[in-house]
Amino acid sequence: MLLLRRCHGLTRCGPVSTHRHKVTPAVASCTARLCSSSGAEDQRLSQRTNWKHVLAGLLAGTGAVLAYGLHQHKAEQADVGVSTLEKSSPLPIFSQDEVTKHSSLEHGVWVTYKGSVYDITEFVAMHPGGNKILLAAGGALEPFWALYAVHNQEHVLEILSQYKVGELTEDDLKKQRAAEPTDPFSSDPERHPVLRINTRKPFNGEPPPEILSDSYITPAAFFFKRNHLPVPQVDPASYRLQVEGLPGGGLTLSLEDLKTKFPKHTVTATLQCAGNRRSDMNKVKAVKGLNWGITAIGNARWSGARLRDVLLAAGFGPDVARWARHVHFEGLDKDVTGTPYGSSIPLSKAVSEEGDVLLAYEMNGEEIPRDHGFPVRVVVPGVVGARNVKWLGRVVVSAEESGSHWQQHDYKGFSPGTDWDHVDFKSAPAIQELPIQSAITVPADGAVIDRSDETLTVTGYAWSGGGREVVRVDVSLDGGETWQVAQLRSGEKGQAPEAPPPPGRAWAWKLWEITAPLPPEAQELEIVCKAVDSSYNVQPDTVPPIWNLRGLLSNAWHRVTVRVRDD
Ligand SMILES: Nc1nc2c(c(=O)[nH]1)N[C@H]1C(S)=C(S)[C@@H](COP(=O)(O)O)O[C@H]1N2
Ligand SMILES: [Mo]
């Protein structure tokens, strides 16, 4: 079969030889070529598609996507039964100078990794994000790998091996090694060992469920940590917050300014990652993203200046309100391209007196720990974790939504029928307020209980976005046949509850508990919980109708199964 492949105005053909190890004339030729395709060719084509995901993840700043892209690659590869490990034959030796010459689409795109030289021209030509990938062109992949701390490096190597065209000279390899980057995560803070680690670099971890529901206010040590990048080291003395986009040139504030020039406001607010409970979605059908359990959520007391007050001081007023629609936030954590983590929220939320958006410098009465945004993070109560930007460096008032990757190409919901080949991120709005959520923290799924206990105590959390208060939690011990109403709590056990929030400003979760007689004779119990918020929103009963390819907004009834043991 004849195959003609077009890419970015260039017409190139696939590998000319079955073995990628043979040096292809990939570099110079951007002329049209016709080449034959076989079954093996098709397999390689499909591998190259996966490689697209791999390199996109590697260089575009989405470590998680990378990890799961690899996962998927592995699965797909198992399907087609291809081995990408090929025996090495002697390969040409290239100097760093020669490699460096290949740093554009015109001259071909080469990269090195551990002394091997790879020609990835084809991939770059075909990939729409090619300009970012070009950053690695003519140089070493190591700095990128260090930043994203790929766990599955072995596997990326397997894929990369198909693109190998030669070796680097011994001398140049030595020079590279001498210049090897230090681990950008080496200055990350220590974390409590009880956290269940999703990824170490960047650090993503969540507490054991039974610890989470032990306290109404989640201690910072047990608060889930969700980092996309290394934790930046910020000197509080030289820290400056830039407030921009307003007439009069904006405002620059030191930490001291924030603390002394604006009233200190305290809000108890729950923060939940859009990926909380993703693992439940993953069980139905694989999704891409960190495989969070049920504890990518926490409740803290945040203190700081109101964003509203700062914007007013910076020149916000009715004139600005006429054109402005969004407020952008930028973190001081940056990817290899220098792009910071970023997001935006609607202006109405940012400036509303009832919005309670904070530029927080304290968490639970202490300075915000490094993992949670030291020295300043924005806290947007009722809104998805992703918009609560940590290590806040810049606030921009704008007519447009943030152009950040995390605002435009992530954190959006899709139909269960939308797959990666057809997803159009432009077609969906960015997630802001989160839907009603609840989960059972105790007992754990698979727990064994003694019949002699006679009663069973079930505990959990419930929360809804947008300031909608949780008004009820229903619990079933028989898979949803019969229900009982749980007791809700807005404070520490045995202590006075927090004052009830004004309507529409219920930012904090409620912990709930129910003690019920063990159903006689039951060998196994399927415990289910579901919450109701002040708008009478309820959780969907099952996952399939809300399944989406990124595994976000996973809020189906939470179910755990326990066994009853006769002693
Ligand atoms: N600067 C910056 N802000 C960020 C992130 C980040 O990686 N960098 N992660 C976001 C996401 S996705 C979530 S869920 C929350 C997590 O906050 P936490 O780590 O304090 O729990 O921070 C958000 N803010
Ligand atoms: Mo998140």
Side-chain angles (χ1 to χ4, degrees):
M1 182 187 116
L2 287 177
L3 177 79
L4 179 71
R5 292 170 57 216
R6 298 202 145 265
C7 30
H8 279 232
L10 314 172
T11 307
R12 305 185 33 76
C13 77
V16 283
S17 61
T18 316
H19 286 269
R20 297 285 311 176
H21 286 179
K22 222 164 138 188
V23 183
T24 65
V27 191
S29 87
C30 289
T31 48
R33 276 189 287 156
L34 293 170
C35 47
S36 67
S37 172
S38 62
E41 170 83 62
D42 290 340
Q43 282 174 349
R44 278 196 309 275
L45 284 176
S46 82
Q47 282 165 21
R48 210 164 304 120
T49 312
N50 298 322
W51 168 233
K52 217 191 251 189
H53 289 292
V54 171
L55 200 55
L58 187 57
L59 303 181
T62 50
V65 172
L66 173 61
Y68 283 83
L70 289 173
H71 203 72
Q72 200 195 27
H73 175 88
K74 203 168 206 165
E76 284 167 11
Q77 209 178 35
D79 280 352
V80 293
V82 186
S83 164
T84 50
L85 286 172
E86 295 172 40
K87 283 272 168 295
S88 305
S89 48
L91 285 168
I93 310 267
F94 296 107
S95 70
Q96 181 62 56
D97 281 351
E98 269 167 289
V99 174
T100 307
K101 280 179 199 152
H102 301 111
S103 54
S104 65
L105 273 178
E106 219 188 333
H107 300 108
V109 178
W110 289 15
V111 292
T112 65
Y113 185 73
K114 293 202 167 153
S116 294
V117 180
Y118 303 91
D119 175 356
I120 59 168
T121 316
E122 281 171 20
F123 164 71
V124 176
M126 287 182 4
H127 193 264
N131 52 346
K132 239 180 194 180
I133 288 152
L134 280 172
L135 287 167
L141 278 178
E142 276 87 343
F144 293 91
W145 286 44
L147 186 58
Y148 297 115
V150 185
H151 292 292
N152 219 337
Q153 296 199 344
E154 280 298 307
H155 200 68
V156 184
L157 275 179
E158 270 182 44
I159 303 161
L160 200 57
S161 69
Q162 299 165 77
Y163 292 82
K164 186 163 171 176
V165 292
E167 308 280 355
L168 201 60
T169 65
E170 291 267 337
D171 266 9
D172 285 329
L173 180 58
K174 270 191 203 136
K175 275 188 212 153
Q176 263 197 8
R177 291 229 159 112
E180 211 126 276
T182 53
D183 179 358
F185 294 93
S186 59
S187 61
D188 265 24
E190 293 282 317
R191 282 97 186 190
H192 197 288
V194 81
L195 294 178
R196 294 180 180 170
I197 295 172
N198 244 313
T199 62
R200 261 173 220 284
K201 301 175 180 184
F203 189 84
N204 286 290
E206 63 184 308
E210 65 275 23
I211 288 184
L212 185 69
S213 58
D214 261 353
S215 45
Y216 173 73
I217 296 294
T218 313
F222 302 145
F223 204 97
F224 81 100
K225 291 154 200 2
R226 202 281 177 252
N227 298 335
H228 289 82
L229 297 160
V231 175
Q233 283 178 291
V234 186
D235 166 24
S238 58
Y239 169 82
R240 293 292 180 276
L241 176 68
Q242 308 292 343
V243 184
E244 298 169 18
L246 292 157
L251 203 59
T252 301
L253 298 169
S254 67
L255 184 57
E256 203 52 27
D257 291 337
L258 268 179
K259 289 183 177 173
T260 57
K261 295 191 172 155
F262 302 93
K264 181 175 175 180
H265 188 65
T266 297
V267 173
T268 304
T270 295
L271 203 68
Q272 182 183 216
C273 181
N276 188 33
R277 299 188 58 204
R278 180 179 278 131
S279 51
D280 287 345
M281 234 172 231
N282 236 338
K283 282 178 210 149
V284 168
K285 195 171 124 193
V287 296
K288 282 190 196 182
L290 297 166
N291 203 31
W292 295 110
I294 63 168
T295 57
I297 186 168
N299 188 48
R301 207 163 272 142
W302 309 94
S303 309
R306 287 182 199 254
L307 175 60
R308 171 189 157 81
D309 295 343
V310 171
L311 290 178
L312 285 170
F316 177 80
D319 284 351
V320 179
R322 263 191 278 284
W323 57 264
R325 293 292 174 270
H326 303 269
V327 178
H328 302 194
F329 305 117
E330 269 181 29
L332 295 167
D333 49 339
K334 293 182 173 138
D335 72 10
V336 277
T337 73
T339 309
Y341 180 86
S343 76
S344 65
I345 60 169
L347 175 81
S348 53
K349 172 73 176 172
V351 298
S352 156
E353 279 186 87
E354 285 82 44
D356 288 320
V357 180
L358 295 186
L359 303 181
Y361 42 78
E362 283 179 18
M363 178 181 189
N364 300 340
E366 288 173 13
E367 65 181 25
I368 295 189
R370 286 190 60 214
D371 258 328
H372 299 288
F374 179 82
V376 176
R377 92 174 295 170
V378 59
V379 172
V380 191
V383 162
V384 64
R387 314 297 169 219
N388 292 247
V389 172
K390 306 192 270 190
W391 316 292
L392 188 65
R394 232 157 70 97
V395 173
V396 184
V397 174
S398 172
E400 312 294 333
E401 218 185 12
S402 163
S404 160
H405 167 84
W406 293 279
Q407 189 80 18
Q408 300 297 333
H409 301 292
D410 203 351
Y411 298 113
K412 294 187 172 191
F414 294 98
S415 160
T418 303
D419 62 21
W420 285 103
D421 289 333
H422 301 96
V423 63
D424 173 13
F425 273 88
K426 282 198 179 60
S427 70
I431 298 169
Q432 296 282 352
E433 292 180 357
L434 285 174
I436 178 81
Q437 176 71 289
S438 72
I440 299 159
T441 51
V442 180
D445 193 39
V448 179
I449 49 181
D450 290 325
R451 193 175 303 282
S452 60
D453 289 349
E454 286 172 17
T455 61
L456 173 66
T457 297
V458 184
T459 64
Y461 64 77
W463 180 72
S464 189
R468 290 176 288 273
E469 185 170 3
V470 169
V471 296
R472 202 182 76 226
V473 172
D474 299 324
V475 178
S476 170
L477 301 185
D478 53 13
E481 292 293 315
T482 60
W483 298 91
Q484 308 172 53
V485 176
Q487 272 192 332
L488 307 179
R489 169 156 67 85
S490 290
E492 303 300 348
K493 229 178 183 165
Q495 289 178 23
E498 288 208 325
R505 289 163 82 183
W507 312 125
W509 68 10
K510 292 190 183 175
L511 297 181
W512 55 263
E513 186 172 309
I514 189 167
T515 299
L518 269 182
E521 271 142 57
Q523 300 293 307
E524 205 178 70
L525 305 176
E526 190 190 358
I527 312 172
V528 188
C529 77
K530 63 184 178 79
V532 182
D533 74 17
S534 54
S535 298
Y536 283 99
N537 289 313
V538 294
Q539 298 173 246
D541 54 349
T542 58
V543 175
I546 56 163
W547 184 95
N548 61 87
L549 73 185
R550 278 292 272 123
L552 302 172
L553 309 167
S554 182
N555 72 332
W557 297 358
H558 187 225
R559 300 161 191 265
V560 303
T561 302
V562 299
R563 197 160 64 76
V564 185
R565 176 172 54 195
D566 295 292
D567 28 17

PDB file of all heavy atoms in Angstrom, residues 444-473:
ATOM      1  N   ALA A 444     -13.467   1.111  56.084  1.00  0.00           N
ATOM      2  CA  ALA A 444     -12.817   1.058  54.782  1.00  0.00           C
ATOM      3  C   ALA A 444     -13.430  -0.064  53.956  1.00  0.00           C
ATOM      4  O   ALA A 444     -13.974  -1.027  54.510  1.00  0.00           O
ATOM      5  CB  ALA A 444     -11.326   0.803  54.966  1.00  0.00           C
ATOM      6  N   ASP A 445     -13.342   0.075  52.663  1.00  0.00           N
ATOM      7  CA  ASP A 445     -13.815  -0.984  51.776  1.00  0.00           C
ATOM      8  C   ASP A 445     -13.036  -2.264  52.096  1.00  0.00           C
ATOM      9  O   ASP A 445     -11.817  -2.227  52.258  1.00  0.00           O
ATOM     10  CB  ASP A 445     -13.564  -0.565  50.325  1.00  0.00           C
ATOM     11  CG  ASP A 445     -14.308  -1.465  49.340  1.00  0.00           C
ATOM     12  OD1 ASP A 445     -15.467  -1.837  49.636  1.00  0.00           O
ATOM     13  OD2 ASP A 445     -13.729  -1.794  48.290  1.00  0.00           O
ATOM     14  N   GLY A 446     -13.750  -3.358  52.233  1.00  0.00           N
ATOM     15  CA  GLY A 446     -13.103  -4.636  52.509  1.00  0.00           C
ATOM     16  C   GLY A 446     -12.889  -4.906  53.988  1.00  0.00           C
ATOM     17  O   GLY A 446     -12.352  -5.951  54.359  1.00  0.00           O
ATOM     18  N   ALA A 447     -13.304  -3.986  54.848  1.00  0.00           N
ATOM     19  CA  ALA A 447     -13.099  -4.192  56.287  1.00  0.00           C
ATOM     20  C   ALA A 447     -13.937  -5.377  56.778  1.00  0.00           C
ATOM     21  O   ALA A 447     -14.940  -5.740  56.165  1.00  0.00           O
ATOM     22  CB  ALA A 447     -13.486  -2.928  57.054  1.00  0.00           C
ATOM     23  N   VAL A 448     -13.469  -5.975  57.876  1.00  0.00           N
ATOM     24  CA  VAL A 448     -14.196  -7.092  58.478  1.00  0.00           C
ATOM     25  C   VAL A 448     -14.697  -6.632  59.839  1.00  0.00           C
ATOM     26  O   VAL A 448     -13.934  -6.068  60.622  1.00  0.00           O
ATOM     27  CB  VAL A 448     -13.274  -8.320  58.643  1.00  0.00           C
ATOM     28  CG1 VAL A 448     -14.030  -9.477  59.286  1.00  0.00           C
ATOM     29  CG2 VAL A 448     -12.709  -8.730  57.290  1.00  0.00           C
ATOM     30  N   ILE A 449     -15.970  -6.825  60.095  1.00  0.00           N
ATOM     31  CA  ILE A 449     -16.502  -6.412  61.403  1.00  0.00           C
ATOM     32  C   ILE A 449     -17.085  -7.629  62.122  1.00  0.00           C
ATOM     33  O   ILE A 449     -17.519  -8.595  61.492  1.00  0.00           O
ATOM     34  CB  ILE A 449     -17.552  -5.281  61.268  1.00  0.00           C
ATOM     35  CG1 ILE A 449     -18.578  -5.636  60.197  1.00  0.00           C
ATOM     36  CG2 ILE A 449     -16.893  -3.969  60.926  1.00  0.00           C
ATOM     37  CD1 ILE A 449     -19.617  -4.553  59.998  1.00  0.00           C
ATOM     38  N   ASP A 450     -17.070  -7.544  63.434  1.00  0.00           N
ATOM     39  CA  ASP A 450     -17.570  -8.667  64.233  1.00  0.00           C
ATOM     40  C   ASP A 450     -19.069  -8.525  64.487  1.00  0.00           C
ATOM     41  O   ASP A 450     -19.535  -7.459  64.874  1.00  0.00           O
ATOM     42  CB  ASP A 450     -16.833  -8.710  65.583  1.00  0.00           C
ATOM     43  CG  ASP A 450     -15.393  -9.134  65.396  1.00  0.00           C
ATOM     44  OD1 ASP A 450     -15.134  -9.967  64.505  1.00  0.00           O
ATOM     45  OD2 ASP A 450     -14.520  -8.606  66.128  1.00  0.00           O
ATOM     46  N   ARG A 451     -19.777  -9.648  64.327  1.00  0.00           N
ATOM     47  CA  ARG A 451     -21.213  -9.603  64.564  1.00  0.00           C
ATOM     48  C   ARG A 451     -21.522  -9.246  66.019  1.00  0.00           C
ATOM     49  O   ARG A 451     -22.520  -8.597  66.322  1.00  0.00           O
ATOM     50  CB  ARG A 451     -21.858 -10.951  64.218  1.00  0.00           C
ATOM     51  CG  ARG A 451     -23.379 -10.863  64.144  1.00  0.00           C
ATOM     52  CD  ARG A 451     -24.031 -12.142  63.678  1.00  0.00           C
ATOM     53  NE  ARG A 451     -23.545 -12.592  62.372  1.00  0.00           N
ATOM     54  CZ  ARG A 451     -23.925 -12.062  61.200  1.00  0.00           C
ATOM     55  NH1 ARG A 451     -24.772 -11.055  61.184  1.00  0.00           N
ATOM     56  NH2 ARG A 451     -23.467 -12.541  60.077  1.00  0.00           N
ATOM     57  N   SER A 452     -20.613  -9.634  66.905  1.00  0.00           N
ATOM     58  CA  SER A 452     -20.846  -9.358  68.319  1.00  0.00           C
ATOM     59  C   SER A 452     -20.846  -7.855  68.630  1.00  0.00           C
ATOM     60  O   SER A 452     -21.281  -7.431  69.681  1.00  0.00           O
ATOM     61  CB  SER A 452     -19.792 -10.071  69.165  1.00  0.00           C
ATOM     62  OG  SER A 452     -18.510  -9.598  68.808  1.00  0.00           O
ATOM     63  N   ASP A 453     -20.344  -7.054  67.697  1.00  0.00           N
ATOM     64  CA  ASP A 453     -20.376  -5.592  67.896  1.00  0.00           C
ATOM     65  C   ASP A 453     -21.816  -5.067  67.946  1.00  0.00           C
ATOM     66  O   ASP A 453     -22.084  -4.026  68.528  1.00  0.00           O
ATOM     67  CB  ASP A 453     -19.652  -4.847  66.758  1.00  0.00           C
ATOM     68  CG  ASP A 453     -18.153  -5.056  66.825  1.00  0.00           C
ATOM     69  OD1 ASP A 453     -17.677  -5.589  67.847  1.00  0.00           O
ATOM     70  OD2 ASP A 453     -17.463  -4.701  65.857  1.00  0.00           O
ATOM     71  N   GLU A 454     -22.691  -5.764  67.294  1.00  0.00           N
ATOM     72  CA  GLU A 454     -24.134  -5.444  67.268  1.00  0.00           C
ATOM     73  C   GLU A 454     -24.488  -4.142  66.542  1.00  0.00           C
ATOM     74  O   GLU A 454     -25.518  -4.049  65.896  1.00  0.00           O
ATOM     75  CB  GLU A 454     -24.752  -5.448  68.672  1.00  0.00           C
ATOM     76  CG  GLU A 454     -24.915  -6.869  69.183  1.00  0.00           C
ATOM     77  CD  GLU A 454     -25.328  -6.945  70.633  1.00  0.00           C
ATOM     78  OE1 GLU A 454     -25.806  -5.938  71.168  1.00  0.00           O
ATOM     79  OE2 GLU A 454     -25.141  -8.033  71.215  1.00  0.00           O
ATOM     80  N   THR A 455     -23.639  -3.132  66.692  1.00  0.00           N
ATOM     81  CA  THR A 455     -23.919  -1.903  65.936  1.00  0.00           C
ATOM     82  C   THR A 455     -22.720  -1.584  65.048  1.00  0.00           C
ATOM     83  O   THR A 455     -21.607  -2.086  65.272  1.00  0.00           O
ATOM     84  CB  THR A 455     -24.172  -0.682  66.850  1.00  0.00           C
ATOM     85  OG1 THR A 455     -23.005  -0.459  67.629  1.00  0.00           O
ATOM     86  CG2 THR A 455     -25.390  -0.882  67.735  1.00  0.00           C
ATOM     87  N   LEU A 456     -22.996  -0.747  64.105  1.00  0.00           N
ATOM     88  CA  LEU A 456     -21.949  -0.329  63.176  1.00  0.00           C
ATOM     89  C   LEU A 456     -21.964   1.195  63.091  1.00  0.00           C
ATOM     90  O   LEU A 456     -23.022   1.801  62.933  1.00  0.00           O
ATOM     91  CB  LEU A 456     -22.237  -0.930  61.789  1.00  0.00           C
ATOM     92  CG  LEU A 456     -21.325  -0.469  60.652  1.00  0.00           C
ATOM     93  CD1 LEU A 456     -19.900  -0.939  60.878  1.00  0.00           C
ATOM     94  CD2 LEU A 456     -21.849  -0.998  59.323  1.00  0.00           C
ATOM     95  N   THR A 457     -20.776   1.785  63.237  1.00  0.00           N
ATOM     96  CA  THR A 457     -20.686   3.240  63.089  1.00  0.00           C
ATOM     97  C   THR A 457     -20.026   3.552  61.754  1.00  0.00           C
ATOM     98  O   THR A 457     -18.967   2.998  61.421  1.00  0.00           O
ATOM     99  CB  THR A 457     -19.881   3.854  64.252  1.00  0.00           C
ATOM    100  OG1 THR A 457     -20.592   3.585  65.462  1.00  0.00           O
ATOM    101  CG2 THR A 457     -19.728   5.355  64.089  1.00  0.00           C
ATOM    102  N   VAL A 458     -20.686   4.391  60.998  1.00  0.00           N
ATOM    103  CA  VAL A 458     -20.167   4.806  59.688  1.00  0.00           C
ATOM    104  C   VAL A 458     -19.920   6.307  59.742  1.00  0.00           C
ATOM    105  O   VAL A 458     -20.760   7.056  60.249  1.00  0.00           O
ATOM    106  CB  VAL A 458     -21.191   4.479  58.565  1.00  0.00           C
ATOM    107  CG1 VAL A 458     -20.613   4.825  57.201  1.00  0.00           C
ATOM    108  CG2 VAL A 458     -21.607   3.018  58.628  1.00  0.00           C
ATOM    109  N   THR A 459     -18.742   6.742  59.267  1.00  0.00           N
ATOM    110  CA  THR A 459     -18.449   8.181  59.252  1.00  0.00           C
ATOM    111  C   THR A 459     -17.983   8.618  57.866  1.00  0.00           C
ATOM    112  O   THR A 459     -17.540   7.788  57.055  1.00  0.00           O
ATOM    113  CB  THR A 459     -17.338   8.564  60.262  1.00  0.00           C
ATOM    114  OG1 THR A 459     -16.130   7.914  59.862  1.00  0.00           O
ATOM    115  CG2 THR A 459     -17.686   8.140  61.666  1.00  0.00           C
ATOM    116  N   GLY A 460     -18.096   9.903  57.625  1.00  0.00           N
ATOM    117  CA  GLY A 460     -17.646  10.428  56.339  1.00  0.00           C
ATOM    118  C   GLY A 460     -17.704  11.938  56.296  1.00  0.00           C
ATOM    119  O   GLY A 460     -17.902  12.596  57.314  1.00  0.00           O
ATOM    120  N   TYR A 461     -17.491  12.459  55.092  1.00  0.00           N
ATOM    121  CA  TYR A 461     -17.585  13.903  54.883  1.00  0.00           C
ATOM    122  C   TYR A 461     -18.607  14.176  53.788  1.00  0.00           C
ATOM    123  O   TYR A 461     -18.920  13.289  52.973  1.00  0.00           O
ATOM    124  CB  TYR A 461     -16.217  14.494  54.503  1.00  0.00           C
ATOM    125  CG  TYR A 461     -15.661  13.999  53.177  1.00  0.00           C
ATOM    126  CD1 TYR A 461     -16.154  14.485  51.963  1.00  0.00           C
ATOM    127  CD2 TYR A 461     -14.632  13.057  53.125  1.00  0.00           C
ATOM    128  CE1 TYR A 461     -15.656  14.040  50.749  1.00  0.00           C
ATOM    129  CE2 TYR A 461     -14.124  12.601  51.921  1.00  0.00           C
ATOM    130  CZ  TYR A 461     -14.641  13.089  50.733  1.00  0.00           C
ATOM    131  OH  TYR A 461     -14.148  12.644  49.523  1.00  0.00           O
ATOM    132  N   ALA A 462     -19.103  15.402  53.759  1.00  0.00           N
ATOM    133  CA  ALA A 462     -20.003  15.838  52.685  1.00  0.00           C
ATOM    134  C   ALA A 462     -19.766  17.320  52.437  1.00  0.00           C
ATOM    135  O   ALA A 462     -19.536  18.091  53.378  1.00  0.00           O
ATOM    136  CB  ALA A 462     -21.460  15.589  53.060  1.00  0.00           C
ATOM    137  N   TRP A 463     -19.811  17.715  51.196  1.00  0.00           N
ATOM    138  CA  TRP A 463     -19.539  19.105  50.824  1.00  0.00           C
ATOM    139  C   TRP A 463     -20.144  19.397  49.462  1.00  0.00           C
ATOM    140  O   TRP A 463     -20.265  18.494  48.631  1.00  0.00           O
ATOM    141  CB  TRP A 463     -18.017  19.335  50.775  1.00  0.00           C
ATOM    142  CG  TRP A 463     -17.628  20.741  50.408  1.00  0.00           C
ATOM    143  CD1 TRP A 463     -17.748  21.855  51.184  1.00  0.00           C
ATOM    144  CD2 TRP A 463     -17.068  21.179  49.163  1.00  0.00           C
ATOM    145  NE1 TRP A 463     -17.294  22.954  50.507  1.00  0.00           N
ATOM    146  CE2 TRP A 463     -16.875  22.571  49.265  1.00  0.00           C
ATOM    147  CE3 TRP A 463     -16.711  20.523  47.982  1.00  0.00           C
ATOM    148  CZ2 TRP A 463     -16.329  23.333  48.223  1.00  0.00           C
ATOM    149  CZ3 TRP A 463     -16.173  21.281  46.943  1.00  0.00           C
ATOM    150  CH2 TRP A 463     -15.980  22.668  47.071  1.00  0.00           C
ATOM    151  N   SER A 464     -20.500  20.647  49.254  1.00  0.00           N
ATOM    152  CA  SER A 464     -20.947  21.052  47.925  1.00  0.00           C
ATOM    153  C   SER A 464     -20.282  22.369  47.553  1.00  0.00           C
ATOM    154  O   SER A 464     -19.920  23.165  48.426  1.00  0.00           O
ATOM    155  CB  SER A 464     -22.472  21.202  47.902  1.00  0.00           C
ATOM    156  OG  SER A 464     -22.914  21.394  46.562  1.00  0.00           O
ATOM    157  N   GLY A 465     -20.106  22.610  46.272  1.00  0.00           N
ATOM    158  CA  GLY A 465     -19.468  23.832  45.798  1.00  0.00           C
ATOM    159  C   GLY A 465     -20.431  25.012  45.779  1.00  0.00           C
ATOM    160  O   GLY A 465     -21.631  24.875  46.069  1.00  0.00           O
ATOM    161  N   GLY A 466     -19.901  26.182  45.455  1.00  0.00           N
ATOM    162  CA  GLY A 466     -20.730  27.361  45.265  1.00  0.00           C
ATOM    163  C   GLY A 466     -21.395  27.885  46.520  1.00  0.00           C
ATOM    164  O   GLY A 466     -22.347  28.659  46.421  1.00  0.00           O
ATOM    165  N   GLY A 467     -20.925  27.468  47.670  1.00  0.00           N
ATOM    166  CA  GLY A 467     -21.515  27.950  48.918  1.00  0.00           C
ATOM    167  C   GLY A 467     -22.836  27.280  49.268  1.00  0.00           C
ATOM    168  O   GLY A 467     -23.524  27.710  50.193  1.00  0.00           O
ATOM    169  N   ARG A 468     -23.186  26.222  48.547  1.00  0.00           N
ATOM    170  CA  ARG A 468     -24.419  25.487  48.852  1.00  0.00           C
ATOM    171  C   ARG A 468     -24.171  24.577  50.052  1.00  0.00           C
ATOM    172  O   ARG A 468     -23.246  23.764  50.053  1.00  0.00           O
ATOM    173  CB  ARG A 468     -24.866  24.683  47.625  1.00  0.00           C
ATOM    174  CG  ARG A 468     -25.369  25.553  46.476  1.00  0.00           C
ATOM    175  CD  ARG A 468     -25.701  24.740  45.239  1.00  0.00           C
ATOM    176  NE  ARG A 468     -24.499  24.251  44.583  1.00  0.00           N
ATOM    177  CZ  ARG A 468     -23.812  24.937  43.679  1.00  0.00           C
ATOM    178  NH1 ARG A 468     -24.207  26.133  43.301  1.00  0.00           N
ATOM    179  NH2 ARG A 468     -22.713  24.438  43.146  1.00  0.00           N
ATOM    180  N   GLU A 469     -25.006  24.730  51.037  1.00  0.00           N
ATOM    181  CA  GLU A 469     -24.810  23.989  52.286  1.00  0.00           C
ATOM    182  C   GLU A 469     -25.279  22.545  52.143  1.00  0.00           C
ATOM    183  O   GLU A 469     -26.283  22.277  51.475  1.00  0.00           O
ATOM    184  CB  GLU A 469     -25.621  24.686  53.386  1.00  0.00           C
ATOM    185  CG  GLU A 469     -25.407  24.094  54.755  1.00  0.00           C
ATOM    186  CD  GLU A 469     -26.035  24.949  55.859  1.00  0.00           C
ATOM    187  OE1 GLU A 469     -26.683  25.962  55.544  1.00  0.00           O
ATOM    188  OE2 GLU A 469     -25.861  24.568  57.029  1.00  0.00           O
ATOM    189  N   VAL A 470     -24.557  21.648  52.773  1.00  0.00           N
ATOM    190  CA  VAL A 470     -25.031  20.258  52.839  1.00  0.00           C
ATOM    191  C   VAL A 470     -26.167  20.216  53.851  1.00  0.00           C
ATOM    192  O   VAL A 470     -25.996  20.620  55.005  1.00  0.00           O
ATOM    193  CB  VAL A 470     -23.898  19.298  53.255  1.00  0.00           C
ATOM    194  CG1 VAL A 470     -24.455  17.899  53.573  1.00  0.00           C
ATOM    195  CG2 VAL A 470     -22.845  19.217  52.162  1.00  0.00           C
ATOM    196  N   VAL A 471     -27.335  19.779  53.405  1.00  0.00           N
ATOM    197  CA  VAL A 471     -28.486  19.787  54.309  1.00  0.00           C
ATOM    198  C   VAL A 471     -28.836  18.390  54.814  1.00  0.00           C
ATOM    199  O   VAL A 471     -29.575  18.244  55.787  1.00  0.00           O
ATOM    200  CB  VAL A 471     -29.734  20.424  53.651  1.00  0.00           C
ATOM    201  CG1 VAL A 471     -29.468  21.901  53.346  1.00  0.00           C
ATOM    202  CG2 VAL A 471     -30.151  19.669  52.387  1.00  0.00           C
ATOM    203  N   ARG A 472     -28.321  17.357  54.153  1.00  0.00           N
ATOM    204  CA  ARG A 472     -28.658  16.000  54.582  1.00  0.00           C
ATOM    205  C   ARG A 472     -27.679  15.006  53.980  1.00  0.00           C
ATOM    206  O   ARG A 472     -27.190  15.211  52.860  1.00  0.00           O
ATOM    207  CB  ARG A 472     -30.073  15.654  54.113  1.00  0.00           C
ATOM    208  CG  ARG A 472     -30.749  14.548  54.896  1.00  0.00           C
ATOM    209  CD  ARG A 472     -32.132  14.242  54.339  1.00  0.00           C
ATOM    210  NE  ARG A 472     -32.023  13.473  53.111  1.00  0.00           N
ATOM    211  CZ  ARG A 472     -32.715  13.731  51.995  1.00  0.00           C
ATOM    212  NH1 ARG A 472     -33.582  14.730  51.934  1.00  0.00           N
ATOM    213  NH2 ARG A 472     -32.542  12.974  50.940  1.00  0.00           N
ATOM    214  N   VAL A 473     -27.392  13.958  54.749  1.00  0.00           N
ATOM    215  CA  VAL A 473     -26.633  12.833  54.202  1.00  0.00           C
ATOM    216  C   VAL A 473     -27.429  11.564  54.503  1.00  0.00           C
ATOM    217  O   VAL A 473     -27.821  11.328  55.644  1.00  0.00           O
ATOM    218  CB  VAL A 473     -25.216  12.732  54.800  1.00  0.00           C
ATOM    219  CG1 VAL A 473     -24.529  11.437  54.361  1.00  0.00           C
ATOM    220  CG2 VAL A 473     -24.372  13.945  54.396  1.00  0.00           C
TER     221      VAL A 473
END
